[in-house]
Amino acid sequence: MAARDISFGSFNLYNLQSPGMAMYSGSRWTEEEYEAKIFYTGAVLKRIAADVVGFQELWAGEALLEAMQMAGLDETHRALVPPGHPGNRIVCAGMVRMDLLVDEPEWIVDFPEDMVLASGGDDPQQDRIAVALTTFSRPVLHFTVQPHPDTPVIHVFVAHFKSRRPTELWREDWYEADLHKDHLNALGYAVSTIRRTAEATALRMIITNLTKGTNTPVVVIGDMNDGKLSNTLNILTEQPQYLTGLSEGGGDNALYTAQTLQEYRSTRDVYYTHVFKKERESLDHILFSQEFYDHSKRRLWAFDEMTVDNDHLNIEDHKATGTNDHGILRAGFRWKPAAGALV
């Protein structure tokens, strides 16, 4: 790719942890399972050859470094892992070509102070609602990259929203088996959905504060645990209109999906990144501001192509094979400013 071009990847690492170290519920990788996992992870990183990769479900920073070494990327790319991370929980992480990185990364824990999710209802039939969440389940990674001195700095966010698995509520003080046992799934799904919705709203506010009324390029990478038409993605993207033909537009602080642009270029949609109960869905996304949208008047980079590495999702035993349970995305963009765009 040319010097001003850039590519992004999204990779859920499926609990990349050092061998023998505890994960959820005390589970651990054996040496054999870990070696298979490092081999697979390194092979994928080498194959997608992205300038920037956002990771989810990283436990041990040393394991990521080992996978990068396996891929031969340790001398060209830098791993972004929270400083002093003890490996006792999953985090969002990154891998960035060293010559692209601008400043040091940060991990955003708290929701914006001005975020309020409370309402007395907007008609007489509604009761009051209030959500007291103030932090992300997994801190959002934020860093900046610059492909070339003549291009703007790009803000990159790596997120991993609350899973759709029902939250376990039986440990709560209010839980009474006789009353709640038969409803645990419904209640748990509702709590998970509320948390994921709040996280999408918080990140949307952060992005709006950065992009509203500006020409700041933004890319959001991650496992949002929801599809592109879900309320989660509607909040995060602000549902921009996709224009075709000779039309020109672009939303000031909207985010566009690589999935949609790739679908426009294909006669068949075979995009999926996750399989659950034989249902194929797209939970992982690469989103980008109008500076990367083909039909935007402020386009700086044109969408090239998106690939989805997902054949491994048909493998049942991910532990034995070292594979992961999400598809891996890669989206490329070519430097091609629209006529009159501010460069």
Side-chain angles (χ1 to χ4, degrees), residues 32-77:
E32 292 76 14
E33 291 168 342
Y34 176 76
E35 288 178 6
K37 194 165 184 61
I38 292 297
F39 179 83
Y40 167 79
T41 303
V44 172
L45 289 176
K46 183 176 182 179
R47 182 164 62 249
I48 67 173
D51 299 315
V52 178
V53 181
F55 298 109
Q56 307 86 44
E57 292 196 21
L58 174 70
W59 290 80
E62 314 86 70
L64 176 57
L65 290 173
E66 190 169 343
M68 290 172 60
Q69 291 171 353
M70 176 70 70
L73 298 172
D74 53 311
E75 294 186 359
T76 58
H77 291 64

Side-chain angles (χ1 to χ4, degrees), residues 38 68 127 129 256 308 322 335 343:
I38 292 297
M68 290 172 60
D127 198 357
I129 185 173
Y256 299 83
V308 185
W335 179 253
V343 180

Side-chain angles (χ1 to χ4, degrees), residues 106 108 112 142-144 153-157 202-220 252-255 289 291:
E106 63 170 341
I108 303 171
H142 170 230
F143 58 96
T144 51
V153 170
I154 302 166
H155 286 257
V156 181
F157 295 87
L203 184 52
R204 161 40 60 190
M205 291 181 67
I206 291 170
I207 292 168
T208 296
N209 288 336
L210 185 64
T211 59
K212 188 73 172 179
T214 74
N215 296 302
T216 304
V218 169
V219 174
V220 180
D252 179 28
N253 56 301
L255 297 176
S289 59
E291 287 75 19

Side-chain angles (χ1 to χ4, degrees), residues 232-267:
T232 303
L233 268 292
N234 287 343
I235 292 170
L236 192 55
T237 64
E238 292 211 333
Q239 306 176 68
Q241 182 178 2
Y242 288 83
L243 306 174
T244 58
L246 298 177
S247 300
E248 289 187 336
D252 179 28
N253 56 301
L255 297 176
Y256 299 83
T257 73
Q259 176 182 355
T260 299
L261 294 191
Q262 185 64 29
E263 287 170 351
Y264 281 168
R265 300 184 179 191
S266 174
T267 58

